[in-house]
Amino acid sequence: MARATLLVLCALLLGGCASFPQSTPTTPDTAADPDDATAPDVYLDVTSRVSTPVRDESISALKASLKDAEAVSQFTDDPSQADRILDVRLEKKPRSPASAIGPVITGFSYFLIPTYSTIGWTMEIHGRTQDGDTFVATDTSGSMRFWLGIWLIPAMPGNSPTEIRGQVLSAMADDAVAQLTRSDRYFLN
């Protein structure tokens, strides 16, 4: 009994988790705004089916991307004061039921057998004018993968799930803003 307890404690102390982005985040080219156009006031209408930290991180990344691209004059809390309304929908990608088998095997083997898992999100944005006319619809997705196992302890520094999640969500926001600003009806003339 003491030996089993010792093995469990060793596995818990030595087990590691490392996360990696599914694909290398790239910053797409954003369309240059015309000289005679001005950035609109924007209202974000968010529908979320993700956890609160992911939602908050996604919205802050989207706001930062819009500001960096100079695609927003200001954010407003009142849709009647906005020039453009962005309906943002965040969802977690479904995983297959068989994906739960790997972590169970890893747990029973005291983290000696590594496991691979993926988590992903989608961000849909429908841009509409004050009149309700939809002028653009964007759809972007991103994912990250997890490796669990005792062999991953050297890979843990710099690969925490929180840091990687931030990189993935930021890349998704940059892609969505690039798609938004390519629309000829986004900027005010």
Side-chain angles (χ1 to χ4, degrees):
M1 183 66 170
R3 188 174 197 173
T5 304
L6 182 64
L7 284 174
V8 169
L9 286 175
C10 285
L12 289 175
L13 292 174
L14 297 176
C17 171
S19 303
F20 306 95
Q22 186 71 22
S23 60
T24 306
T26 58
T27 305
D29 298 332
T30 56
D33 56 43
D35 293 333
D36 59 343
T38 58
D41 293 342
V42 173
Y43 172 74
L44 296 177
D45 185 14
V46 180
T47 304
S48 173
R49 297 178 96 187
V50 295
S51 64
T52 303
V54 172
R55 177 191 186 276
D56 294 344
E57 207 168 338
S58 297
I59 296 306
S60 65
L62 182 61
K63 285 182 175 181
S65 292
L66 283 166
K67 286 186 179 190
D68 289 347
E70 298 177 357
V72 64
S73 172
Q74 68 178 359
F75 292 101
T76 179
D77 294 330
D78 184 11
S80 65
Q81 300 295 320
D83 298 316
R84 299 291 184 256
I85 299 169
L86 301 180
D87 297 319
V88 181
R89 183 178 178 154
L90 301 168
E91 289 189 0
K92 184 176 176 183
K93 288 183 185 176
R95 292 190 287 179
S96 94
S99 65
I101 295 171
V104 171
I105 293 170
T106 298
F108 281 128
S109 71
Y110 298 109
F111 286 83
L112 292 174
I113 300 172
T115 300
Y116 169 83
S117 182
T118 302
I119 185 170
W121 305 276
T122 60
M123 179 187 294
E124 293 178 19
I125 300 177
H126 296 274
R128 56 186 167 98
T129 62
Q130 194 59 264
D131 301 330
D133 296 332
T134 300
F135 62 89
V136 69
T138 70
D139 185 11
T140 184
S141 62
S143 61
M144 66 181 194
R145 42 179 206 231
F146 292 94
W147 282 95
L148 301 167
I150 196 168
W151 315 109
L152 297 168
I153 293 172
M156 287 173 55
N159 291 315
S160 74
T162 306
E163 292 172 15
I164 301 300
R165 180 181 69 204
Q167 291 174 9
V168 170
L169 295 176
S170 180
M172 287 172 52
D174 289 345
D175 184 40
V177 168
Q179 292 177 39
L180 278 174
T181 56
R182 281 190 202 117
S183 170
D184 58 348
R185 292 185 53 203
Y186 180 79
F187 290 101
L188 303 175
N189 291 324

